[in-house]
Amino acid sequence: MFKVNFMKKVLVIDDEPTIATLLADIIEEYGYEVTIAFDGRQGYELAKNGVYDLIISDIMMPFVSGNELCAKLKQQSKTQNTQVVLMSAVAHMAQLGTNCRADAFILKPFDIGVITRLIEQFLERPEAQPFQIPNPNYETKQYLPD
């Protein structure tokens, strides 16, 4: 079930340490290298200077929001192709992800199955790109592409 692939790197950005650490633990179980940032400014500095295959960011954070971070990264040639997944506990925030060209949106609280699907779609099967943020599915609380 778990694959070892330290070549791919993931950046998790969330100002809630419990959520950031939980996400990192799940992703590391699959063998990927994970870096954590606890606010948007720190996350942006890491993202623009590092090479990440996937960035998962909360939207509502201090200093730089996930939406602002995503928009800045998508405008720079070095990071414009980096996959960015935004997350929020507020369902209507999914529209912000569309505005900044995020690749997907997930609603908090999420279950491990949603994170597993993220890993499969963005890290294990990247040829399935491009992704679009679909309309919200309120029953499953996820906004992942089909």
Side-chain angles (χ1 to χ4, degrees):
M1 176 175 153
F2 299 115
K3 297 180 178 181
V4 176
N5 187 344
F6 287 107
M7 293 175 61
K8 293 194 177 183
K9 296 180 181 182
V10 178
L11 175 60
V12 173
I13 310 165
D14 199 311
D15 59 329
E16 296 180 44
T18 304
I19 291 176
T21 304
L22 173 65
L23 276 170
D25 288 346
I26 294 168
I27 296 165
E28 285 174 345
E29 287 274 333
Y30 281 84
Y32 298 104
E33 184 178 325
V34 180
T35 303
I36 298 175
F38 295 107
D39 67 58
R41 186 178 343 166
Q42 180 188 28
Y44 176 68
E45 289 302 317
L46 288 167
K48 75 176 187 174
N49 294 319
V51 178
Y52 295 96
D53 299 287
L54 176 63
I55 296 172
I56 303 173
S57 178
D58 189 19
I59 290 179
M60 296 186 291
M61 291 185 297
F63 309 118
V64 176
S65 73
N67 184 49
E68 292 171 302
L69 177 138
C70 176
K72 287 180 178 182
L73 294 176
K74 294 295 185 175
Q75 291 172 359
Q76 297 175 14
S77 60
K78 182 178 177 181
T79 56
Q80 68 185 358
N81 294 322
T82 301
Q83 303 299 312
V84 178
V85 175
L86 295 179
M87 60 183 170
S88 178
V90 182
H92 72 271
M93 292 288 189
Q95 183 60 40
L96 292 176
T98 302
N99 295 343
C100 75
R101 298 183 12 233
D103 298 284
F105 176 87
I106 58 175
L107 185 62
K108 296 195 274 185
F110 48 80
D111 63 39
I112 292 177
V114 171
I115 304 309
T116 299
R117 190 165 168 214
L118 273 177
I119 292 166
E120 289 172 355
Q121 289 187 350
F122 287 95
L123 298 173
E124 294 178 4
R125 293 186 293 133
E127 70 280 356
Q129 305 298 329
F131 290 99
Q132 295 178 351
I133 297 177
N135 291 326
N137 181 340
Y138 293 103
E139 290 180 19
T140 61
K141 295 184 179 179
Q142 63 187 17
Y143 297 76
L144 290 172
D146 293 326

